[in-house]
Amino acid sequence: MSALAPEREAGQKEESGAETAVALCDLMDQHIAALQATADAVRAWDERRAATEATNEAYANGLLGVARDEEAGRLAIVNYRPRGDRELRLKLAYMAAYLIATRGTLDPDEMNAVLEAPRDRPSTSVA
């Protein structure tokens, strides 16, 4: 498990928002796995290209699937609506770490989704 995702035993519930906290942790675990798969695929395809075993087109096509999986995992977290302040803080910390590590950015709609208030209080958005 990554330093970004909190440690927990399989099936362990968080102290508040029991079912959803596990769901958010599962989404983060899946995204971390997709990031690792992407890094592994890039290394493998780089080695094949260096050995002239793969064309640029094959390289791009080979990475497309893992890139889509990573994006789907990231968007699942971006669009996840926390059920309390603890989940909101967890989601924000994870996304901040991800953006810092990747030097990435979010578009305005993604930013609003990340900053969306928990379900138990009114939503606010970034203008």
Side-chain angles (χ1 to χ4, degrees):
M1 183 173 297
S2 167
L4 296 177
E7 298 220 10
R8 62 179 168 72
E9 297 297 319
Q12 178 183 351
K13 307 290 184 183
E14 299 293 334
E15 68 267 13
S16 64
E19 292 178 21
T20 58
V22 171
L24 180 58
C25 286
D26 289 343
L27 290 175
M28 293 184 321
D29 287 345
Q30 291 167 10
H31 184 240
I32 291 166
L35 287 167
Q36 186 63 50
T38 301
D40 292 345
V42 167
R43 274 190 292 279
W45 278 98
D46 281 348
E47 289 172 8
R48 288 184 70 188
R49 249 183 26 178
T52 63
E53 295 175 12
T55 64
N56 287 339
E57 183 178 349
Y59 177 82
N61 288 332
L63 296 180
L64 189 58
V66 290
R68 285 182 179 154
D69 289 345
E70 185 281 325
E71 180 183 30
R74 179 182 57 82
L75 290 175
I77 295 168
V78 165
N79 293 319
Y80 181 85
R81 182 127 184 231
R83 293 206 183 194
D85 287 337
R86 184 185 182 294
E87 275 197 349
L88 177 63
R89 289 190 305 273
L90 182 60
K91 177 181 171 179
L92 290 173
Y94 180 86
M95 289 307 302
Y98 169 79
L99 293 171
I100 290 167
T102 63
R103 296 185 177 142
T105 60
L106 299 174
D107 67 38
D109 290 336
E110 291 173 334
M111 182 62 79
N112 283 334
V114 167
L115 297 175
E116 193 169 55
R119 293 179 192 204
D120 60 352
R121 59 178 203 210
S123 179
T124 58
S125 64
V126 176

